[in-house]
Amino acid sequence: MASRRVILSAAVLALVFGLSFAAQKPPAASSFIPFADARPILEAFAEDLPGGLQGKSAEQLAALWPTWVAERDAAIRARLEQGDLDTIVHWLLFGTSFTRRARLTPENIQHLESPKAPTAGRDAAGELLMGRLDDLLNALTSSTQSERVLFTRRMLLDKGFVLGQPAGRDAARQFLLAQLARILREQAGFAETLDAARRLGNS
């Protein structure tokens, strides 16, 4: 059953992306595989279809398919974009190619996470973070052509940040700080879940 579901997942991914998804870049105009082409796969995995498609007749599936496949496409692209943003934030924290400043340490990150952290430690961590962020923004507006700079620059430009203008630079700074805050919240949630699991005492 597990292997069947793995195969189904791969099949559904292929369906959602119309069997052609290159370099994580959406096509100029998204087009999805029509239900007539998807139907043989859906019928082969009728007992294991994702939620929303289970137990539907062929007619119901045909009616649901355009909306379902478009929603899955959007959800997958959103997860891929979030992964790209996570990569940029980790580069901000730990990268060395755009700055000579020290990497943030686990202790620095704890100070950023906790409002109860000692003031001196929190201020030092914040100063290091903001210095690295300024260095990153300087790299993004320079002539540097490294792969990571180009990737990050394109990501921010695609979101409408005008990095060469003070207002655009400030907006990009706030956006990246918001992404960092999101990641710290997620990590705190993971830690709480793991801690709760450990307290169960059942390996």
Side-chain angles (χ1 to χ4, degrees):
M1 181 64 71
S3 61
R4 182 181 175 87
R5 286 178 179 169
V6 170
I7 295 171
L8 173 62
S9 297
V12 170
L13 281 173
L15 291 175
V16 168
F17 286 99
L19 302 178
S20 60
F21 184 72
Q24 298 184 0
K25 291 184 179 179
S30 296
S31 60
F32 308 115
I33 185 171
F35 176 74
D37 294 341
R39 183 171 180 172
I41 295 177
L42 297 175
E43 290 178 347
F45 293 95
E47 296 180 0
D48 298 308
L49 290 178
L53 298 182
Q54 293 178 350
K56 306 296 184 184
S57 67
E59 292 75 15
Q60 290 172 320
L61 286 174
L64 288 169
W65 180 252
T67 300
W68 186 90
V69 73
E71 289 175 347
R72 293 308 174 277
D73 174 82
I76 291 169
R77 293 187 190 280
R79 288 199 297 273
L80 290 171
E81 179 178 289
Q82 183 169 307
D84 288 342
L85 292 172
D86 289 355
T87 297
I88 292 171
V89 170
H90 284 90
W91 185 40
L92 166 64
L93 297 178
F94 309 118
T96 59
S97 60
F98 65 90
T99 183
R100 294 183 178 180
R101 299 177 199 268
R103 296 169 173 167
L104 272 79
T105 65
E107 184 179 13
N108 293 145
I109 294 172
Q110 286 181 344
H111 286 154
L112 291 173
E113 287 179 306
S114 175
K116 298 180 180 179
T119 301
R122 188 168 62 249
D123 289 349
E127 183 178 353
L128 176 58
L129 172 64
M130 296 306 292
R132 289 180 64 88
L133 183 50
D134 282 339
D135 290 346
L136 176 58
L137 291 171
N138 287 338
L140 296 179
T141 53
S142 72
S143 59
T144 303
Q145 297 294 305
S146 77
E147 183 178 352
R148 288 179 178 177
V149 166
L150 292 174
F151 173 80
T152 304
R153 183 187 295 152
R154 175 49 54 196
M155 188 87 178
L156 294 177
L157 290 176
D158 286 347
K159 288 191 166 295
F161 297 111
V162 184
L163 300 176
Q165 298 180 1
R169 182 185 174 103
D170 288 343
R173 179 185 290 106
Q174 294 305 314
F175 174 75
L176 292 173
L177 289 173
Q179 297 307 310
L180 171 59
R182 171 184 60 79
I183 290 174
L184 294 179
R185 287 195 303 269
E186 290 173 353
Q187 291 179 342
F190 296 152
E192 290 177 2
T193 300
L194 288 171
D195 186 57
R198 292 189 187 100
R199 290 198 298 269
L200 295 176
N202 185 331
S203 59

